[in-house]
Amino acid sequence: MLTEPGERLIDTVAWVLIENGRILCARPRGKDVFFIPGGKREGAESDLQTLLREIDEELTVALLPGTVAHVGTYEAELPGAPSGSVRMACYTADYTGTLEPSSEIAELAWFDYADRARVPPVDQLLFDDLAAAGLLPGGDTPAAG
């Protein structure tokens, strides 16, 4: 899906952390939906700079830059918006520290594929790819395309 001229594009970067067949998700304060941890780019930040900053701010851990690997980039319509989309560049990385929600995060949760409906459409695309690769079990996985 490509954003048409005049549509809004929200450019985000996300950290994919899978442990024991579940993916880490975070619910920001004041919201009722979970997201893959990460956030919006500030200014001319690179994906790596955005990823390191956002994960430190949200989860109080430090990602190890030398371990960052691109998983995929996904784009989907913004839920509830008249026009526009969100693009999410996803990366795995090792980390140091203890995962804890910061003041901007209300709750952390570990989801499997059965929880797919609890995340936004762009995150659901990642869930589909991870399930198809056998990395995110649980529920009915998508048919291979």
Side-chain angles (χ1 to χ4, degrees), residues 48-141:
L48 179 61
Q49 290 167 326
T50 303
L51 187 67
L52 297 177
R53 177 184 52 75
E54 284 288 345
I55 297 310
D56 177 57
E57 288 175 3
E58 290 185 1
L59 304 176
T60 69
V61 296
L63 298 184
L64 303 173
T67 67
V68 173
H70 186 250
V71 173
T73 300
Y74 304 90
E75 190 171 327
E77 290 183 19
L78 282 169
S83 66
S85 60
V86 61
R87 179 172 49 222
M88 181 174 70
C90 299
Y91 296 87
T92 58
D94 294 336
Y95 68 96
T96 61
T98 302
L99 288 169
E100 292 183 26
S102 71
S103 60
E104 61 186 69
I105 301 297
E107 180 182 5
L108 297 178
W110 293 92
F111 286 0
D112 64 17
Y113 193 76
D115 297 301
R116 180 183 182 274
R118 298 177 66 189
V119 299
V122 72
D123 296 45
Q124 291 177 12
L125 297 175
L126 170 66
F127 272 50
D128 292 345
D129 276 1
L130 294 173
L135 298 172
L136 195 61
D140 295 323
T141 55

